[in-house]
Amino acid sequence: MFRIGIGHDTHRLEEGRPLVLGGVLVESERGAEGHSDADALSHALTDAVLGAMCEGDIGLHFPERDPRWKDADSLQLLSRVMWLAGERGYRVVNADATVMLERPRLRPYIDEMREKLAEVLGVETSCVSVKAKSGEGLDAVGQWQAVTAQAVVLLEKT
Ligand SMILES: [Zn+2]
């Protein structure tokens, strides 16, 4: 049996914050604002896994008001959700994600993101796709005010 899930996440960009995407620190003058490490890519993937299992969303499992998740490593949050997936008898088949960020260009970081995410998702790197797009100078992404990520994950009952 297969289950598919979708995830979407947005974080505001601010100077003086680190920019972490897929567990990789990206060199940038502006970083993502948020309660955990504000890793939009990991959050979108986490929501996609939860969505595939109909297990609510990341805010339900890791409430912002909970001090345990302040500056939390989002790969660890994804890892906790993968533990839940394992408990339910699911494994990841593949994942596909798009990060929308005006700058910097993410191409130099993409393979490291795929490797880190694949390790947490328990699959080969060839099963995790990360794509990057800019906002073409439009909307909040295009104005370099936000980073957005979308993800889909396919789970299989083992
Ligand atoms: Zn987030």
Side-chain angles (χ1 to χ4, degrees), residues 59-146:
L60 180 74
H61 291 263
F62 310 105
E64 278 197 18
R65 62 181 180 278
D66 190 330
R68 274 185 299 171
W69 316 125
K70 188 181 174 349
D71 299 322
D73 175 350
S74 294
L75 284 186
Q76 284 190 14
L77 307 188
L78 179 58
S79 176
R80 281 168 174 261
V81 166
M82 283 311 299
W83 176 85
L84 180 66
E87 285 287 294
R88 300 284 151 85
Y90 290 109
R91 70 171 191 90
V92 171
V93 177
N94 76 305
D96 185 20
T98 301
V99 180
M100 298 206 58
L101 179 70
E102 194 64 7
R103 58 183 178 272
R105 290 286 178 243
L106 294 177
R107 193 169 298 277
Y109 302 97
I110 293 278
D111 282 342
E112 196 185 344
M113 290 176 193
R114 292 174 59 221
E115 282 164 23
K116 288 203 171 201
L117 292 168
E119 196 183 330
V120 177
L121 293 171
V123 293
E124 298 286 318
T125 308
S126 61
C127 298
V128 178
S129 160
V130 176
K131 310 183 296 301
K133 304 199 71 95
S134 81
E136 297 288 338
L138 305 165
D139 68 23
V141 169
Q143 299 296 315
W144 204 32
Q145 291 169 355

Side-chain angles (χ1 to χ4, degrees), residues 22-23 28-29 32 35 42 45-46 50 52 68 85 91 94 102 140 154:
S28 171
E29 288 162 44
H35 189 62
S42 296
L45 275 164
T46 304
L50 287 169
R68 274 185 299 171
R91 70 171 191 90
N94 76 305
E102 194 64 7
L154 185 67

Side-chain angles (χ1 to χ4, degrees), residues 24-39:
V24 176
L25 184 64
V26 173
E27 223 174 284
S28 171
E29 288 162 44
R30 292 187 189 177
E33 211 270 318
H35 189 62
S36 63
D37 63 6
D39 181 339

